[in-house]
Amino acid sequence: MGTSRPNTCYLCGKFADSSDHIPPKGFFPSPRPVDLITVPACTSCNRGFSRLDEEFRNFVAAAENRNASGRRILDEKVLSPNSTNGPAFRNVAGTLSPVVVQMGNLRALNWKLSFPRLKAERFLERIALGMQSELMPTHHGRKHSDIFIVHIPP
């Protein structure tokens, strides 16, 4: 953490004893870029988002139209033996449901994953607060969350 920033957690305003990657470093395939954004965070807030980060990454990486980097993330992180045994994988995989897809005159059975709206909003709000912290370091802690508003239409 640089000396030009407050040493307070960007989420709760308490003393920051760690750094949080915005977006999470798990969203990047190996080798990761060396210039990932980090913001001051307390260990409690930083660790408190680990499972949500993993669930959101699993959901996003499962998209049918993913690019080559998304495929590598899916192979290396989502479908790895360690990940498929974990609760984050089971939570996302548990939303898998069949849907009928109409393509012209043809009907086919396909599968879809879902991600709970409140979890998505919580994840995106954290990313917005982290970017706010990076771009405006004097605005730390949730009390300043009104600067960026995250809205996901229903």
Side-chain angles (χ1 to χ4, degrees):
M1 288 178 272
T3 55
S4 62
R5 277 195 235 203
N7 206 14
T8 57
C9 178
Y10 76 104
L11 291 169
C12 70
K14 294 179 182 173
F15 175 73
D17 56 356
S18 68
S19 294
D20 194 9
H21 289 86
I22 302 295
K25 63 184 177 179
F27 278 57
F28 298 91
S30 298
R32 282 189 209 103
V34 295
D35 59 349
L36 295 178
I37 296 170
T38 59
V39 293
C42 69
T43 301
S44 178
C45 287
N46 199 354
R47 287 187 181 158
F49 279 95
S50 295
R51 183 175 292 169
L52 178 60
D53 290 351
E54 192 175 348
E55 287 179 7
F56 198 79
R57 181 198 64 211
N58 292 352
F59 175 73
V60 171
E64 285 183 34
N65 60 348
R66 66 188 158 271
N67 62 16
S69 292
R71 181 67 207 184
R72 282 183 50 214
I73 291 169
L74 183 70
D75 291 342
E76 294 173 10
K77 299 180 180 197
V78 178
L79 299 177
S80 72
N82 288 340
S83 292
T84 57
N85 291 326
F89 180 86
R90 287 192 306 269
N91 287 349
V92 174
T95 71
L96 193 63
S97 61
V99 293
V100 175
V101 179
Q102 184 83 35
M103 298 181 300
N105 293 332
L106 185 63
R107 292 179 77 162
L109 184 64
N110 206 343
W111 296 91
K112 76 168 188 165
L113 290 173
S114 301
F115 198 81
R117 179 186 173 133
L118 291 177
K119 283 185 172 184
E121 287 175 348
R122 186 170 176 240
F123 176 85
L124 294 171
E125 179 184 28
R126 178 174 140 252
I127 299 301
L129 288 170
M131 294 305 296
Q132 169 187 310
S133 175
E134 176 68 12
L135 298 171
M136 297 176 278
T138 58
H139 293 88
H140 261 42
R142 282 199 182 272
K143 61 184 178 279
H144 300 290
S145 65
D146 60 331
I147 293 172
F148 284 127
I149 298 171
V150 176
H151 175 71
I152 301 173

